[in-house]
Amino acid sequence: MRDLYQRLTLSPSANHQEIRSAVARCPNSALRQDAEAVLEIAERREAYDTLHDTVSDIGRLRARLGLTHGAHWQGDVANDFSLPPDNAISRHDELVDRVSHAVSLYNRWRRWRGPWLLITVFASGAAIGLAMGFALALGLALG
Amino acid sequence: MSIARFSPFELLLLKSRSQVDTATLLLLAWVLVHRQHVSEGQRRRRLAQVTAQFRHGHELGPVMSIAHSQDLQAIQLAAEVVRKECSKERSLSVIHQAITVATDDGEISLANHYILRFLADLLNVVPNTLSTLFQELTGKPLQSPEDPSRDAYWQRHDPEYHARKAREAQAAEQRTKDAQARAEQRQRAKADKQQEKQKRQQEKQRQQEEARNAKAEAEQARARQEQARQHERARQKRWQQEQARHEDARRQYRQRASSPPPPDRTTRALAVLGLTPGASRTDVRRAYRRMAQLHHPDRFYTESEHQVALASARFQRIKNAYDYLMQTY
């Protein structure tokens, strides 16, 4: 399984016209014949694209998990679908971080007696509003 | 300071009674999603059957829907959990389950070829172990996946392959035939035009001759009246004029010869290479290579000398056409 798009320097979303011109420009006759047979016929291209998506997903997974040199990842596939290791951190570590963060937030909330804090803030807001209302009414009466 | 929302799979993992089981479940569902020719119900039944011993304690539906959405981050998380938690025996049993889920009779989809191998690499299962396990479970050896990026794959798997090829060839033939017919028509038109031109020229020559005759008679009459010296001078003058006119005509002719040839030459050169007008430079080069291989004199070396001579003439013609096209195109 080779990545024909990469070998023809195309994007996988290239339209029919772009593919035709890229195939015509390609100097390698074997590759040209294969690309003509696969990419220029709609139903074959569809089948190829589905597999291409899956294999590029696997390539991305392997890059993130450090498996780009596995015993089962050899030949054309490994050449065409291996990505450079990106610096995405481990999803599991990230999950653990987020859970511990959520836990610490929750604990802080409990410690500060969150509900009471909320009620106090609401009450003081109401008191300030009342005071402002009184002041306005007084001003109107005097004026 | 807020934290991003937890994704459905993360929530599932947090709620699960056994994280490894949930993660394995997602990987198996991923394999099942890429299995072909089975219905959704069959997939679910198969998953439930294989994971009857699991202790995750949640529904299978959400896992299936996550697998269907091809959520790469969820799959990565599951892979990390599985890799972290699995012992050697557990790894083998996961691979075992994955093979069971992927196939009943050794027929395995192309995507699952790659997924199974990914799982084997993830769980440190060497190729030998994987193929042995596969052979034991399905009774067939694990083949290397076929390559749909090649023409040969479609030749084997596309039932319409030959019909399509024939159709394409027919269309190409029709196109070349059309082009030939058009070129013939053009040549005929050109020949007609030339004939007409010749006729016109002849007529003009005739008229000129008549005029000259009349003039000569008049001259004779005048010459008889005029003196010999004057006559001589006039003749000399005329001779000079004639010379000048000849010179003029010759120059014009030379100019015409060195002026750029008609664009028709391009069409003819293309026809020599078996191409129609509008072919690209790449097409020209490709056609030239093919024709040169076909008509190279060395190919006819074993046949007669006459054949070689004919071939070299053809080759020369092809080469001239190619050189001309490479200069002008």
Side-chain angles (χ1 to χ4, degrees):
Chain A
M1 170 82 180
R2 298 167 301 165
D3 189 349
L4 293 178
Y5 296 114
Q6 193 192 345
R7 291 188 181 212
L8 293 172
T9 58
L10 280 171
S11 84
S13 56
N15 60 28
H16 195 71
Q17 206 58 46
E18 288 167 356
I19 287 178
R20 285 196 81 147
S21 68
V23 167
R25 266 189 278 113
C26 172
N28 180 340
S29 60
L31 178 59
R32 200 167 46 225
Q33 188 194 354
D34 287 343
E36 261 171 20
V38 178
L39 297 184
E40 292 193 359
I41 294 167
E43 50 263 46
R44 294 191 197 162
R45 184 182 173 193
E46 206 171 301
Y48 176 76
D49 276 354
T50 353
L51 185 62
H52 182 269
D53 286 347
T54 311
V55 178
S56 8
D57 276 356
I58 290 177
R60 211 165 295 134
L61 278 178
R62 279 179 180 268
R64 289 187 190 163
L65 294 165
L67 294 174
T68 43
H69 295 278
H72 293 281
W73 188 246
Q74 306 281 343
D76 283 337
V77 210
N79 284 338
D80 284 10
F81 290 95
S82 289
L83 296 170
D86 51 4
N87 39 14
I89 60 162
S90 153
R91 308 295 313 177
H92 188 254
D93 293 352
E94 198 200 342
L95 176 65
V96 171
D97 281 354
R98 281 162 68 187
V99 169
S100 61
H101 189 97
V103 167
S104 74
L105 278 186
Y106 177 79
N107 279 350
R108 202 176 304 155
W109 177 253
R110 299 300 296 192
R111 189 160 68 242
W112 289 100
R113 296 173 194 285
W116 287 112
L117 201 67
L118 209 62
I119 289 166
T120 329
V121 167
F122 187 72
S124 58
I128 290 169
L130 272 177
M132 298 273 273
F134 264 120
L136 197 63
L138 218 63
L140 283 177
L142 285 179
Chain B
M1 207 158 123
S2 64
I3 37 180
R5 276 211 243 162
F6 289 93
S7 71
F9 182 65
E10 284 170 335
L11 288 177
L12 212 59
L13 209 57
L14 291 175
K15 277 184 222 153
S16 164
R17 268 189 241 147
S18 158
Q19 289 201 338
V20 206
D21 285 350
T22 307
T24 314
L25 207 59
L26 180 66
L27 294 182
L28 294 180
W30 186 37
V31 173
L32 263 179
V33 164
H34 285 101
R35 183 169 175 179
Q36 283 165 340
H37 316 303
V38 288
S39 70
E40 194 50 42
Q42 280 174 315
R43 284 200 181 111
R44 292 205 177 192
R45 269 200 298 286
R46 177 40 84 87
L47 190 61
Q49 192 185 342
V50 168
T51 60
Q53 307 291 320
F54 282 21
R55 297 175 292 110
H56 47 77
H58 55 72
E59 293 289 316
L60 295 183
V63 179
M64 263 330 251
S65 64
I66 293 168
H68 267 297
S69 68
Q70 304 282 342
D71 183 355
L72 207 60
Q73 298 201 338
I75 292 169
Q76 188 188 344
L77 180 55
E80 281 171 12
V81 171
V82 167
R83 177 160 70 167
K84 205 178 291 251
E85 310 280 337
C86 275
S87 63
K88 193 144 178 66
E89 290 77 41
R90 185 69 209 261
S91 311
L92 277 182
S93 88
V94 170
I95 292 289
H96 185 133
Q97 284 154 352
I99 294 173
T100 320
V101 157
T103 179
D104 286 320
D105 51 359
E107 289 295 317
I108 180 168
S109 75
L110 284 171
N112 271 339
H113 265 292
Y114 293 107
I115 294 177
L116 266 189
R117 285 174 166 82
F118 166 71
L119 292 180
D121 265 344
L122 181 76
L123 297 166
N124 276 326
V125 174
V126 294
N128 268 341
T129 321
L130 180 68
S131 51
T132 315
L133 204 56
F134 192 86
Q135 170 104 46
E136 276 173 14
L137 284 174
T138 62
K140 277 189 191 170
L142 179 61
Q143 312 269 343
S144 57
E146 286 179 293
D147 189 349
S149 68
R150 291 186 192 279
D151 193 24
Y153 172 87
W154 296 103
Q155 205 163 356
R156 230 171 306 133
H157 286 84
D158 194 350
E160 279 187 27
Y161 183 89
H162 292 289
R164 196 190 294 274
K165 267 270 148 93
R167 233 170 341 181
E168 272 171 19
Q170 214 173 15
E173 204 172 305
Q174 187 66 36
R175 233 177 294 135
T176 51
K177 219 181 280 173
D178 283 357
Q180 268 179 356
R182 235 178 294 136
E184 261 172 32
Q185 216 172 16
R186 211 174 300 126
Q187 260 180 353
R188 218 176 300 135
K190 212 172 70 187
D192 284 355
K193 215 188 278 171
Q194 241 167 10
Q195 268 184 355
E196 212 161 287
K197 209 157 109 189
Q198 270 182 352
K199 219 182 280 172
R200 224 179 298 135
Q201 256 177 358
Q202 279 174 354
E203 195 139 314
K204 208 194 261 175
Q205 265 182 357
R206 204 158 42 91
Q207 277 177 358
Q208 271 178 351
E209 219 156 283
E210 276 173 11
R212 213 179 299 145
N213 283 351
K215 214 158 94 184
E217 273 171 26
E219 288 274 321
Q220 269 179 358
R222 209 163 6 126
R224 255 179 264 128
Q225 290 171 359
E226 279 179 4
Q227 292 182 353
R229 204 158 46 88
Q230 266 179 340
H231 174 78
E232 188 67 21
R233 206 191 296 148
R235 218 176 52 186
Q236 258 181 7
K237 209 171 176 184
R238 209 168 57 225
W239 185 76
Q240 272 171 1
Q241 274 176 354
E242 191 96 348
Q243 203 72 347
R245 218 180 48 221
H246 269 298
E247 194 69 18
D248 235 271
R250 220 174 298 150
R251 209 178 303 132
Q252 267 182 2
Y253 177 74
R254 227 177 292 140
Q255 268 181 356
R256 209 180 309 141
S258 65
S259 68
D264 192 53
R265 190 171 165 193
T266 311
T267 344
R268 257 182 295 138
L270 281 172
V272 166
L273 292 176
L275 294 168
T276 55
S280 69
R281 230 181 131 84
T282 338
D283 287 342
V284 169
R285 196 169 300 132
R286 205 185 307 160
Y288 167 66
R289 296 237 170 90
R290 203 186 52 235
M291 298 287 272
Q293 273 177 1
L294 218 63
H295 296 292
H296 199 279
D298 285 357
R299 279 192 67 208
F300 302 92
Y301 178 71
T302 50
E303 293 167 35
S304 66
E305 238 169 57
H306 178 61
Q307 288 280 341
V308 174
L310 281 180
S312 72
R314 283 200 303 269
F315 185 72
Q316 200 56 44
R317 208 153 57 97
I318 291 163
K319 187 158 166 34
N320 283 343
Y322 176 68
D323 286 344
Y324 173 71
L325 286 174
M326 281 295 120
Q327 274 168 17
T328 56
Y329 244 44

